[in-house]
Amino acid sequence: MADYELVAHTPKIAEVRDHYIAPLSTMTLLVIIFATVLVASCTFGQFGISFTTLLHSIVLKLTGNCDQIAHAVDTVIFKIRLPRIAVASIIGGAMALAGASYQGTFKNPMVSPDILGASAGAGFGAAIAILFSFNMFFIQVSAFALSLIAVSLTLLVSRIIAKGSTAIIAMILTGMIVTSLFSALISIIKYVADPESKLPEITFWLMGGLGSANAGDVLFLLPAITLGAVPLLLVSWRMNILSLGDDEAESLGIDIMRLRLLVIACSTLLTASCVSICGLVGWVGLIIPHISRLIVGPDFHKLLPVSILVGAIFLVIVDDVARCLFSVEIPLGIITSIIGAPFFMYMLIKGKKGWI
């Protein structure tokens, strides 16, 4: 009788292990890797800092003995590297979360966070601000605002085309049109910009980078990222139902239109916030969800948190390479493209199926 009961309960034990213990161990490992990358990143750079010096400085800072920290070490660690690493972590996690959410909503593994024109709109907003010599804060605000306007335009036109429905193909095609439109507007701005000063600045911003990241950017990002990320994590189980198809999801009582609009709005907020700070950094929202699926599978309840951690780890490492590989900093967009394009080509050649 005891053996029978053990056999009868074995599937339940396996189910608990698969749904809770295995993801928990994966998340624990990723958190350890993330913490290791953060600590190591604080020591990398043109101004080398040993782990002992880093640890000692942090202890002094926490105990209020800041005057005992060397001025150069204090500036490099707490005013330059830590804010930059924090911004890279937030942006990497947010872009990966937005990418996974977009791919689930559109049921397409080729979709990235800029599919609805968010990145092109942000680029146009930043180009205008740079052209008129606005400071960095207003450049970020302009990029953020135009990014939201571009996506709003996409949604408005697509709903007119689809006559009130939320046809996915209408959104994607309209997004392509809006992206092309704002890309043309960026080209106009670059054409009329001063080739000695404004044009190089616009071009460098469009390549993406965190060279100007500071603690203020962290404060700028946190409210918008929180507002966009929390609802996505809360409706992750609904996104699983959405993957079954519209008819099946509606039969289970899911409001497809409301859910899609919620996911798109939150993902766009994440994308707009990130692009306004770091410029056009591509591929993160496209390849990180694929890597995360290889780790935990297509269940969005597991996929979204893992994507956040993997995206944060990825962009921090990429930023380390950008600032340490050569004596001059390499734009982030170049490195992410060099890494992302071959990886995605491998995924296409492999012909991976069953992504969702």
Side-chain angles (χ1 to χ4, degrees), residues 34-253:
F34 178 56
T36 303
V37 169
L38 290 186
V39 173
S41 299
C42 290
T43 64
F44 295 155
Q46 302 298 326
F47 185 87
I49 296 175
S50 66
F51 175 75
T52 304
T53 302
L54 172 65
L55 184 61
H56 182 62
S57 300
I58 293 176
V59 171
L60 291 176
K61 195 79 171 180
L62 294 176
T63 56
N65 299 313
C66 302
D67 55 336
Q68 299 182 27
I69 306 175
H71 178 70
V73 174
D74 180 68
T75 300
V76 170
I77 294 178
F78 299 105
K79 296 182 180 179
I80 298 177
R81 288 187 189 167
L82 277 179
R84 178 167 180 161
I85 292 168
V87 171
S89 302
I90 296 171
I91 290 176
M95 293 182 73
L97 175 60
S101 301
Y102 266 122
Q103 290 173 8
T105 300
F106 290 100
K107 294 183 285 188
N108 191 331
M110 303 286 288
V111 170
S112 63
D114 57 356
I115 188 68
L116 300 183
S119 295
F124 177 61
I128 291 178
I130 294 172
L131 182 67
F132 289 101
S133 302
F134 291 163
N135 60 30
M136 182 54 64
F137 175 77
F138 285 104
I139 291 174
Q140 293 170 354
V141 171
S142 178
F144 180 78
L146 265 296
S147 180
L148 296 180
I149 289 173
V151 176
S152 300
L153 179 61
T154 297
L155 295 177
L156 177 62
V157 175
S158 66
R159 291 198 65 180
I160 294 174
I161 294 174
K163 300 186 184 302
S165 68
T166 55
I168 294 177
I169 188 64
M171 288 187 188
I172 294 177
L173 292 176
T174 308
M176 294 172 60
I177 296 171
V178 171
T179 297
S180 178
L181 173 62
F182 278 95
S183 296
L185 294 176
I186 292 173
S187 297
I188 293 175
I189 297 297
K190 293 169 68 176
Y191 184 77
V192 301
D194 184 355
E196 298 296 330
S197 59
K198 300 300 180 185
L199 182 58
E201 188 176 352
I202 293 173
T203 302
F204 187 79
W205 191 94
L206 293 174
M207 290 181 181
L210 294 172
S212 60
N214 53 54
D217 293 334
V218 177
L219 299 177
F220 178 86
L221 281 171
L222 282 179
I225 296 299
T226 302
L227 186 61
V230 171
L232 291 177
L233 294 173
L234 292 177
V235 301
S236 58
W237 66 275
R238 290 177 178 264
M239 296 172 67
N240 283 328
I241 299 175
L242 190 63
S243 66
L244 299 175
D246 290 0
D247 293 337
E248 290 80 359
E250 287 179 350
S251 67
L252 293 172

Side-chain angles (χ1 to χ4, degrees), residues 258-279:
R258 181 177 298 177
L259 179 58
R260 281 211 176 101
L261 291 178
L262 173 65
V263 173
I264 290 172
C266 293
S267 300
T268 299
L269 182 61
L270 294 176
T271 304
S273 303
C274 295
V275 174
S276 67
I277 296 295
C278 67

